[in-house]
Amino acid sequence: MKNILITGGAGFIGSHVVRLFVNNYPNYNIINLDVLTYAGNLENLKGIEDKPNYTFVKADICDYNLIEEIFSKYDIDGVIHLAAESHVDRSIKDPFAFAQTNIMGTLSLLQAAKNKWKDDFKDKLFYHVSTDEVYGSLGEEGFFTETTSYDPHSPYSASKASSDHFVRAFHDTYGLPVLISNCSNNYGAYQFPEKLIPLFINNICNNKPLPVYGKGENVRDWLFVNDHARAIDVIFHKGKLGDTYNIGGFNEWKNIDLIRVLIKTVDKLLGRKEGESEKLIKYVTDRAGHDFRYAIDSTKLKDELGWEPSLQFEEGIEKTVKWYLENKDWVDNVTTGGYQKYYNEMYK
Ligand code: NAD
Ligand code: TYD
């Protein structure tokens, strides 16, 4: 494989994946395709724009004719598909946008890949990046494995579940060589500050209220984004065609406990008194359909492909908080304009 199309490469996870592939694989041409929604930002790719094996193409994955042209023009033989609408709260407000991008956009890429590669699928690969949220919600016990039945509850997870089904359908019906991974919640640099961790870091810095949904007792399983990118690399190169891999770090946190770690870390780095920002915690109305607990069993990925997370959570959180403190300009750029309107509507 030579010409790899990465979709959503200007977003949070996509930018880490693009950076890793451009730097580690000079023999691949990396074509980053992104339409640059509010979540896509070319600043996330600082330092690699001028590399000879990197090309950026601004395009909408839903525009089938254009996607077909791009597959031909760049002679694409591998795809890593990350482009999506990704925020649950937005999906509750506007489910159509999620169905359009996540389902129809994925279908458009699948169809373009099938038509470009015809029946010669040798050395071709369509890798679809998905989420653990397709499995639904766990009680106090148990883990999601690769064979857990799908049971999505939010418009976001329903649209991702549907896209996963289309990817498997293209494998089973047309023999398209596919891989799927389902990852737990990511955190790290370049995450748009509407998701819990960057939103709360930013609010603590600015002494703004921290809107905790419900009682703060929901549980999420957190993975450092660079470890997700490393897992995608391993699965892309060594995964068994047609298979699914769960990605997670066995790192569960109750929201309120995680929020206290964030407060402690930010207060320490800003030289504030320990716990000073606890007063910013504000319990607000729960998210509709709020999944109680996510927990990923990533044993298959470890046993079959040898991947393990590289970082302990406390170390990852400290690195992440430092990054947001040192990159205030980035945060200010993405939190002005349209974002401000969104924030005022969501948290009035
Ligand atoms: P993100 O919202 O930060 O980035 C999404 C990117 O996709 C943006 O650059 C955006 O411009 C682009 N995009 C959106 N619609 C597009 C379209 N129609 N055409 C072309 N580009 C488009 O998302 P993220 O958090 O980086 O997530 C990336 C992928 O990983 C998603 O598929 C998501 O479902 C999955 N995932 C995310 C997490 C997480 O914790 N963030 C966990 C597991 C899986
Ligand atoms: P989020 O980062 O949106 O990820 P997801 O919903 O995809 O897991 O939210 C993580 C958890 O934090 C989730 O249980 C919802 C909760 N949450 C809040 O309590 N307040 C907030 O303002 C946000 C954005 C999330």
Side-chain angles (χ1 to χ4, degrees):
M1 246 177 295
K2 272 282 165 56
N3 301 319
I4 316 290
L5 182 76
I6 300 184
T7 71
F12 166 48
I13 302 170
S15 62
H16 289 274
V17 174
V18 166
R19 179 170 288 108
L20 186 153
F21 272 75
V22 167
N23 286 333
N24 292 4
Y25 300 102
N27 53 326
Y28 291 164
N29 295 313
I30 301 300
I31 297 98
N32 171 15
L33 185 154
D34 200 300
V35 78
L36 302 179
T37 66
Y38 77 94
N41 187 347
L42 291 177
E43 270 189 61
N44 300 1
L45 294 154
K46 256 193 325 223
I48 63 147
E49 310 98 319
D50 297 332
K51 300 259 172 153
N53 62 335
Y54 174 74
T55 308
F56 174 71
V57 179
K58 185 169 187 295
D60 185 340
I61 55 169
C62 303
D63 184 345
Y64 179 69
N65 292 334
L66 181 58
I67 295 298
E68 256 204 332
E69 268 173 38
I70 290 166
F71 267 78
S72 290
K73 179 170 175 195
Y74 295 98
D75 199 16
I76 299 302
D77 32 22
V79 176
I80 305 178
H81 173 38
L82 297 109
E85 288 293 339
S86 67
H87 188 40
V88 173
D89 294 327
R90 286 185 190 254
S91 82
I92 295 168
K93 289 227 152 200
D94 182 11
F96 280 110
F98 284 69
Q100 177 67 10
T101 296
N102 298 356
I103 305 174
M104 295 308 286
T106 301
L107 183 53
S108 148
L109 289 164
L110 287 165
Q111 184 76 356
K114 173 171 87 70
N115 286 348
K116 165 81 170 92
W117 302 336
K118 299 281 187 314
D119 291 325
D120 185 9
F121 292 140
K122 192 169 168 306
D123 296 329
K124 304 289 189 277
L125 178 58
F126 190 105
Y127 179 171
H128 177 61
V129 175
S130 192
T131 166
D132 61 354
E133 303 191 23
V134 297
Y135 298 123
S137 181
L138 292 165
E140 301 282 351
E141 303 276 306
F143 292 92
F144 298 134
T145 71
E146 286 80 359
T147 55
T148 301
S149 301
Y150 276 31
D151 184 22
H153 299 292
S154 73
Y156 164 65
S157 53
S159 66
K160 290 296 289 188
S162 174
S163 66
D164 292 10
H165 291 320
F166 269 107
V167 173
R168 291 198 180 92
F170 267 65
H171 175 262
D172 296 347
T173 307
Y174 309 111
L176 195 78
V178 306
L179 283 168
I180 299 181
S181 58
N182 297 84
C183 188
S184 60
N185 286 59
N186 284 214
Y187 70 97
Y190 299 114
Q191 185 167 32
F192 196 83
E194 62 184 354
K195 306 269 169 69
L196 180 74
I197 290 184
L199 174 70
F200 278 36
I201 294 173
N202 194 33
N203 283 11
I204 299 166
C205 289
N206 294 309
N207 281 308
K208 282 170 66 174
L210 306 175
V212 181
Y213 298 162
K215 295 188 177 139
E217 282 175 356
N218 301 64
V219 176
R220 295 291 182 267
D221 183 355
W222 294 94
L223 183 69
F224 193 52
V225 64
N226 301 67
D227 280 330
H228 188 188
R230 283 178 47 246
I232 289 173
D233 180 5
V234 169
I235 294 167
F236 183 80
H237 288 102
K238 300 206 291 193
K240 188 164 153 269
L241 290 182
D243 262 22
T244 292
Y245 296 88
N246 279 355
I247 310 173
F250 291 103
N251 179 44
E252 291 178 52
W253 286 82
K254 210 179 252 191
N255 288 343
I256 192 65
D257 295 337
L258 167 62
I259 290 161
R260 295 215 153 93
V261 172
L262 290 176
I263 291 173
K264 199 168 152 205
T265 312
V266 177
D267 280 351
K268 182 181 86 181
L269 291 172
L270 289 181
R272 293 179 183 166
K273 221 170 66 220
E274 187 171 339
E276 189 180 321
S277 303
E278 297 254 342
K279 60 176 184 296
L280 299 173
I281 290 175
K282 184 181 165 206
Y283 291 92
V284 299
T285 312
D286 208 356
R287 171 187 279 172
H290 197 173
D291 287 334
F292 174 63
R293 174 172 167 258
Y294 302 145
I296 273 276
D297 180 348
S298 55
T299 310
K300 175 178 173 183
L301 182 56
K302 179 170 180 237
D303 289 354
E304 292 187 12
L305 306 186
W307 174 91
E308 278 186 278
S310 67
L311 271 192
Q312 290 299 315
F313 187 61
E314 282 75 2
E315 194 186 345
I317 280 292
E318 179 134 347
K319 270 185 175 224
T320 303
V321 171
K322 278 191 178 145
W323 187 88
Y324 282 92
L325 297 183
E326 285 162 8
N327 288 275
K328 246 193 121 303
D329 286 353
W330 181 91
V331 178
D332 290 345
N333 280 347
V334 300
T335 52
T336 48
Y339 173 81
Q340 207 49 53
K341 187 165 165 274
Y342 162 83
Y343 191 87
N344 293 340
E345 272 173 19
M346 294 302 289
Y347 297 107
K348 56 185 166 227

